[in-house]
Amino acid sequence: MELVIVDSYRELSLRAAAHVAALLRRKPNAVLGLATGSTPVGLYQELVRLHRQEGLDFSRVTTFNLDEYWGLPDDHPASYHRFMQENLFGLVNLRPENTHIPSGTAENVEAECERYEEAIRRAGGIDLQILGIGQNGHIGFNEPGTPFTSRTRVVDLTEDTRRANARFFPSLEEVPRRAVTMGIATIMEAREILLLASGKEKAAALAAAVEGEVTPEVPASVLQTHPRVTVLADRAAAAGTRRLAV
Ligand code: GLP
């Protein structure tokens, strides 16, 4: 695992975007795994800038998002479909048919999850998966205790996670109690992983993930066993780690 510590959220965003852009220049038909939440917003802003000002091309890129709230229609203001549309998909030249997000409203959820896994396989697998990290160490919506063998499925959210994400909803009551998420095994099949962490709220989770025991109790700790992971953290998020040097 390579741990890169930068001074600010802005630097984290620029570095992450440079990492993605380098891949797209090397492999214009790359398959990206994408994350939502506050952390990747700066990365997406910089990718949009690179597209508009430097011609970064997404026309042959395929994307798969990690997760979606269960029960939210695609156009709900807090859905991850809407988030991706507003932060990236609607602002670059990605083809709509090449962007994938699990449906939060599928009638047959098991079939939807299997279809999602199959679509990733058919695309040739994920070249680079972007990840954030939850305050409890979750990745995607894989909460503590999730088996490392898990695949795309419906999960229950912990109350901690619902509270942490309540800022995107009018009230805590309206935060869904379930989500559809890629599993840990699905994430681990990505050829490369870039985990982003910003802010002191992530310090304990990040330290446990990069330096603690590899255990399902800290889902992100599984990344220690992946051959190609870069962890990009700002100083606040890296404050709990012992390797406070670039
Ligand atoms: C949600 C998402 C995760 C994300 C996490 C942290 O739970 N499902 O993919 O990493 O939130 O979000 P934030 O970046 O807003 O702290």
Side-chain angles (χ1 to χ4, degrees):
M1 220 182 213
E2 190 189 359
L3 175 60
V4 179
I5 300 167
V6 296
D7 281 331
S8 65
Y9 176 69
R10 177 161 167 76
E11 204 183 327
L12 177 146
S13 303
L14 297 185
R15 283 235 197 181
H19 198 110
V20 174
L23 169 64
L24 300 194
R25 290 191 182 112
R26 211 166 55 236
K27 186 175 181 186
N29 62 346
V31 179
L32 298 178
L34 299 178
T36 49
S38 305
T39 311
V41 169
L43 154 65
Y44 296 147
Q45 282 171 351
E46 177 61 8
L47 287 177
V48 171
R49 192 197 67 77
L50 288 170
H51 168 68
R52 288 184 177 158
Q53 297 181 4
E54 298 182 23
L56 186 65
D57 183 21
F58 291 83
S59 63
R60 295 171 61 204
V61 173
T62 299
T63 68
F64 288 92
N65 266 77
L66 285 166
D67 47 16
E68 178 57 284
Y69 289 107
W70 181 243
L72 292 196
D74 295 358
D75 62 352
H76 187 283
S79 79
Y80 287 164
H81 280 77
R82 183 87 169 253
F83 175 98
M84 290 310 303
Q85 198 55 37
E86 289 172 358
N87 285 283
L88 187 69
F89 296 168
L91 308 174
V92 297
N93 64 333
L94 270 163
R95 289 173 194 267
E97 64 271 28
N98 291 348
T99 65
H100 306 269
I101 305 180
S103 168
T105 56
E107 266 175 39
N108 182 341
V109 69
E110 274 159 34
E112 162 67 8
C113 293
E114 182 40 46
R115 188 196 61 76
Y116 204 69
E117 291 270 340
E118 179 57 27
I120 295 173
R121 278 194 290 274
R122 245 185 298 115
I126 292 171
D127 290 304
L128 174 64
Q129 175 68 57
I130 309 294
L131 291 179
I133 182 168
Q135 291 176 29
N136 62 5
H138 74 226
I139 48 176
F141 268 131
N142 295 287
E143 299 281 28
T146 301
F148 288 165
T149 52
S150 55
R151 307 207 69 94
T152 304
R153 72 213 182 284
V154 177
V155 295
D156 293 326
L157 301 180
T158 64
E159 282 311 298
D160 287 351
T161 295
R162 293 185 65 242
R163 265 193 302 277
N165 288 345
R167 66 189 190 282
F168 297 109
F169 293 83
S171 69
L172 177 59
E173 204 30 56
E174 287 171 66
V175 182
R177 293 175 190 280
R178 307 183 86 191
V180 190
T181 183
M182 278 186 202
I184 305 253
T186 322
I187 293 169
M188 288 291 282
E189 280 167 11
R191 285 183 273 281
E192 184 184 2
I193 294 178
L194 178 61
L195 181 136
L196 309 178
S198 170
K200 61 179 184 335
E201 300 76 18
K202 302 294 172 65
L206 191 70
V210 301
E211 296 180 345
E213 185 195 344
V214 176
T215 164
E217 291 315 310
V218 182
S221 68
V222 73
L223 301 174
Q224 292 179 36
T225 68
H226 189 284
R228 209 163 157 219
V229 176
T230 305
V231 175
L232 194 45
D234 61 19
R235 285 200 183 272
T241 66
R242 279 173 272 123
R243 291 182 281 168
L244 245 185
V246 179

